[in-house]
Amino acid sequence: MTTMNREPDVQFVSVFGAGPNGGNPAPIVIDAAGMTDTEMQKVARTYGHESGFVLPPPAGSDDDFEFRFWVPNHEMSMCGHATVGTVWLLHELGKLYKDRLSILTRSGRVHARISVSADRDISVEVSQPAGVVEPLPDAARSEAEILDVLGIDRDSLAPFPIQNARTSRTKTLIPLKNAAILDSLKPDFAKIEQLCNRIDSTGLYPYAVVDPDAQIIDARQFPSSSGYPEDAATGIAASALSFGLLANGIVEASERLITIRQGRAMLRPSAIHVRFSFDGTAPNGCWLGGAVERTECEKIA
């Protein structure tokens, strides 16, 4: 692969925001053709966030674009908020000529749909495949280690199992009794990567059911090895959680909106919207969306 030999044009969006300074920032390179892996990773390390890169689809492909994603420590096969934010930015920049897209990622093909309201507000949703929910490996030992890492005891747990779930990447779902316990968590971050490797997970995702009737859930995401301790909003984890909630009868099997709120403990309030798909576009899967806006992102390198 040839090098760009120029500084990439990095633009910034904040995705899933639900209040001042909310959402998860994403540096985006709209024209990443010719960038090397090293150059892409440098962008993620420079800004300290999951970063998205838009490339033309492979020759002969029926896809509209190829997206790649990097965090400071490695490439990711899929990133929900960066996908939503990138599609929104492409639309804002006038680079889309239709409202349904097929996008190739390292985790497979995803679909995006764009709608514009009468007030010209842009809504973007991206598909995720059917979720898989599984018991923890070596459940008793794993549960004890998770409680130790989070600094809580069994009395803090809600009456649902700790489970691994995935649409694109496996997250460990940890049900807590209430949002106060969730907000007060102070994990031992030094132990998270080793624990996640042992339980075949890419992050711990504790959650609390806030309003079961309205299907509102609060959650926090502690990634295993991304290069930062916590995410303000995580679409892939929220998608996995939605299928865990469904498996445990906490949400219904319908197209009703599920709202998963993150970021409060980081003072970055966020809201991720998930809908199960029954229209055949994302068979047995879900649609992921939320607010997007342009933002600024400071370099940390």
Side-chain angles (χ1 to χ4, degrees):
M1 184 183 296
T2 59
T3 184
M4 294 183 72
N5 291 320
R6 58 181 171 86
E7 283 296 312
D9 180 14
V10 184
Q11 303 191 53
F12 309 101
V13 294
S14 186
V15 187
F16 304 139
N21 300 312
N24 203 351
I28 305 295
V29 179
I30 291 297
D31 180 11
M35 287 188 75
T36 66
D37 290 359
T38 299
E39 289 167 336
M40 293 184 195
Q41 187 171 18
K42 181 182 177 182
V43 171
R45 286 180 170 172
T46 297
Y47 294 98
H49 294 284
E50 290 130 315
S51 302
F53 303 86
V54 181
L55 299 99
S61 168
D62 292 332
D63 297 302
D64 298 292
F65 299 97
E66 179 181 2
F67 287 2
R68 292 180 65 185
F69 311 99
W70 287 79
V71 292
N73 285 357
H74 55 82
E75 184 171 13
M76 300 172 69
S77 60
M78 175 62 188
C79 178
H81 83 276
T83 302
V84 171
T86 300
V87 172
W88 181 91
L89 184 59
L90 285 166
H91 185 280
E92 279 283 283
L93 297 174
K95 295 183 178 295
L96 299 183
Y97 304 99
K98 55 184 179 178
D99 58 9
R100 297 292 185 269
L101 302 176
S102 176
I103 301 161
L104 182 64
T105 74
R106 294 295 169 100
S107 71
R109 179 174 291 108
V110 301
H111 300 280
R113 58 189 186 186
I114 305 104
S115 59
V116 183
S117 72
D119 296 327
R120 306 302 298 170
D121 292 328
I122 303 168
S123 173
V124 173
E125 292 183 308
V126 300
S127 67
Q128 281 292 282
V132 176
V133 183
E134 299 174 322
L136 286 177
D138 193 359
R141 176 188 172 189
S142 297
E143 179 181 297
E145 291 184 3
I146 289 168
L147 295 176
D148 175 65
V149 166
L150 294 181
I152 57 176
D153 56 30
R154 293 203 84 263
D155 288 340
S156 298
L157 296 177
F160 304 103
I162 300 176
Q163 297 164 303
N164 279 348
R166 69 180 183 276
T167 55
S168 297
R169 293 190 306 281
T170 299
K171 301 296 178 182
T172 300
L173 313 180
I174 305 153
L176 302 178
K177 282 183 176 178
N178 54 58
I181 295 171
L182 179 73
D183 291 345
S184 67
L185 292 176
K186 292 180 171 54
D188 185 343
F189 293 108
K191 295 181 179 179
I192 287 180
E193 183 173 1
Q194 182 177 2
L195 169 61
C196 285
N197 287 342
R198 195 184 67 73
I199 61 176
D200 300 322
S201 174
T202 64
L204 304 182
Y205 203 55
Y207 68 93
V209 179
V210 176
D211 187 336
D213 293 331
Q215 300 193 147
I216 298 174
I217 317 295
D218 283 0
R220 295 176 70 179
Q221 147 84 350
F222 305 118
S224 63
S225 60
S226 293
Y228 41 81
E230 185 170 357
D231 273 308
T234 321
I236 297 304
S239 298
L241 173 58
S242 296
F243 284 97
L245 298 171
L246 181 64
N248 290 304
I250 299 170
V251 299
E252 63 183 43
S254 75
E255 294 185 5
R256 282 186 62 208
L257 190 70
I258 302 167
T259 301
I260 298 172
R261 306 187 305 192
Q262 273 185 244
R264 186 171 58 245
M266 303 172 66
L267 303 180
R268 296 193 62 88
S270 305
I272 305 158
H273 298 152
V274 181
R275 306 174 191 270
F276 295 121
S277 173
F278 297 97
D279 63 3
T281 310
N284 301 315
C286 67
W287 289 100
L288 170 68
V292 187
E293 63 178 357
R294 291 212 193 193
T295 186
E296 295 183 0
C297 194
E298 295 182 359
K299 295 182 178 182
I300 64 171

